[in-house]
Amino acid sequence: ILTFILYQQSLAIDTNRILQMNTKAMEVSITDSNEANTQLLNALQLSERSAYTKGIILSLRNLGTVQNRNGQYRNALKYFNKALSVSKKTGRQNDVAFISIDIGKTFHLLGDIQNAIFHFSQAEFLFTEIENPTGLYEVYQAYSILYQTNYDYYQALHYGLKALEVSRFHSNEQQILMSHANLGQIYALLNQKNKAIEHYVLAIQLAEQVKDIIYLPILYLNAGAILRENKQFDEAISFYLRAHNYYKDHNNLIGVISSLSEMGKTNLLQNKTDKALNYFMRAKLLAEQEDNYLLIIN
């Protein structure tokens, strides 16, 4: 009995460690993909030794995600297919469906639209069968982005609206936010600027409520761009200013430089050359401090 208890305790420690290793690996993956790969391979090895199915699948999926970020799409497919195989053998339908989305997105990156759609449809079927609204939302968003990149904006809109419908029905604020942001982008591509602005504003209102650090300033910039195209210059400036202040508060110098540049361009379109020059000079000085030659040239 004592041996069994000790085994159970060691297994619990291993599973926690595996989950922590995966979390830390994905945190460093953007800045150091080699370190992330090393940590994930160690997590995978530990998962296999502990016969921890969840850890095996998670580690394989994360390895595939890191490979995709590095443009190693074929390697990503190898990891995702291994994760898919383990999920099918252990009857984890939910994992099978999510991994099908991973595989579909990878084929999309490879330009293989037929295979991407096939795997998205597999995921859609499974999520419908097991009644997983979060999964269905992910599928519809994936379809929408795929059709956007292939210039089929009406199909993109169809799936974007389906994603919004699912997220609203289940009152998922983060998904509603992302749906409105996606629809704003699609309506902008369809040159329906008023509808684009409407959806961006709805997305911004939600992002402000949940204090979404990643998407909120991007939404400000996107809304500003559409308003500028619509010749609503004062409104555009107000959104660029909000982006500027947000980036400044969060010590994001690149964001500050970008928002200053956009305010400069907006003033230039109104022939306010003195104001435009002031914004451009401020942006240039900050870019020089960062030694960011691309931004200086811009």
Side-chain angles (χ1 to χ4, degrees):
I1 294 170
L2 181 60
T3 305
F4 177 74
I5 291 169
L6 289 170
Y7 170 73
Q8 288 290 90
Q9 286 176 343
S10 68
L11 189 60
I13 293 165
D14 277 349
T15 57
N16 287 332
R17 187 178 162 205
I18 288 160
L19 296 175
Q20 286 169 5
M21 287 167 75
N22 270 275
T23 301
K24 286 178 181 176
M26 296 314 287
E27 283 172 358
V28 302
S29 63
I30 296 170
T31 54
D32 192 344
S33 59
N34 289 331
E35 175 61 23
N37 269 322
T38 302
Q39 288 189 35
L40 290 168
L41 287 168
N42 289 338
L44 177 61
Q45 190 177 45
L46 189 57
S47 299
E48 289 171 339
R49 200 162 61 232
S50 307
Y52 181 39
T53 306
K54 181 180 176 180
I56 293 169
I57 294 167
L58 179 63
S59 302
L60 286 167
R61 284 188 70 192
N62 284 337
L63 280 161
T65 300
V66 172
Q67 293 297 310
N68 266 346
R69 285 179 184 166
N70 288 336
Q72 303 295 317
Y73 306 132
R74 294 293 173 190
N75 285 340
L77 282 175
K78 288 176 187 176
Y79 286 120
F80 288 141
N81 279 315
K82 283 181 184 177
L84 187 68
S85 177
V86 174
S87 300
K88 284 180 175 178
K89 282 177 186 174
T90 53
R92 300 169 77 96
Q93 292 289 79
N94 200 53
D95 285 327
V96 170
F98 275 111
I99 296 161
S100 295
I101 297 177
D102 293 334
I103 293 171
K105 286 179 177 178
T106 308
F107 275 118
H108 181 194
L109 291 167
L110 282 164
D112 188 340
I113 304 307
Q114 202 167 7
N115 257 319
I117 290 172
F118 170 77
H119 283 91
F120 290 156
S121 67
Q122 294 287 98
E124 184 180 3
F125 174 79
L126 285 171
F127 284 133
T128 303
E129 196 172 59
I130 62 179
E131 298 181 351
N132 184 331
T134 300
L136 279 172
Y137 162 83
E138 294 291 343
V139 173
Y140 295 147
Q141 285 287 80
Y143 270 128
S144 183
I145 291 163
L146 180 143
Y147 285 115
Q148 280 178 63
T149 57
N150 282 276
Y151 310 106
D152 191 343
Y153 302 136
Y154 287 103
Q155 273 290 78
L157 179 61
H158 168 74
Y159 283 106
L161 289 168
K162 287 187 81 165
L164 178 61
E165 182 184 357
V166 169
S167 60
R168 272 180 172 166
F169 186 77
H170 295 278
S171 303
N172 188 313
E173 283 190 347
Q174 188 64 32
Q175 290 182 355
I176 295 169
L177 187 167
M178 296 306 296
S179 294
H180 281 303
N182 181 48
L183 287 165
Q185 184 170 293
I186 295 166
Y187 279 118
L189 291 167
L190 286 166
N191 205 30
Q192 296 183 33
K193 295 185 179 68
N194 289 334
K195 275 191 170 288
I197 292 163
E198 178 189 328
H199 283 284
Y200 275 131
V201 168
L202 288 168
I204 285 166
Q205 287 170 351
L206 278 170
E208 286 174 338
Q209 285 173 25
V210 299
K211 296 182 171 64
D212 192 310
I213 293 172
I214 296 171
Y215 293 107
L216 185 53
I218 296 168
L219 290 168
Y220 287 147
L221 291 172
N222 286 351
I226 300 300
L227 286 160
R228 185 169 65 198
E229 283 180 27
N230 217 29
K231 301 191 186 307
Q232 294 172 255
F233 299 120
D234 290 341
E235 291 92 335
I237 289 284
S238 73
F239 277 107
Y240 288 137
L241 189 58
R242 285 158 83 175
H244 170 271
N245 292 341
Y246 197 91
Y247 281 130
K248 190 177 179 183
D249 289 344
H250 290 83
N251 299 313
N252 186 326
L253 200 58
I254 304 300
V256 171
I257 294 165
S258 297
S259 48
L260 285 170
S261 295
E262 295 306 325
M263 286 190 276
K265 291 173 191 174
T266 309
N267 276 284
L268 195 59
L269 286 171
Q270 299 174 85
N271 294 317
K272 296 178 180 177
T273 50
D274 287 343
K275 270 193 171 183
L277 186 60
N278 178 268
Y279 284 121
F280 291 142
M281 289 299 292
R282 284 167 62 190
K284 186 175 83 74
L285 286 169
L286 289 172
E288 285 170 346
Q289 286 175 28
E290 281 289 284
D291 287 333
N292 190 318
Y293 296 106
L294 284 175
L295 284 173
I296 294 166
I297 291 164
N298 188 46

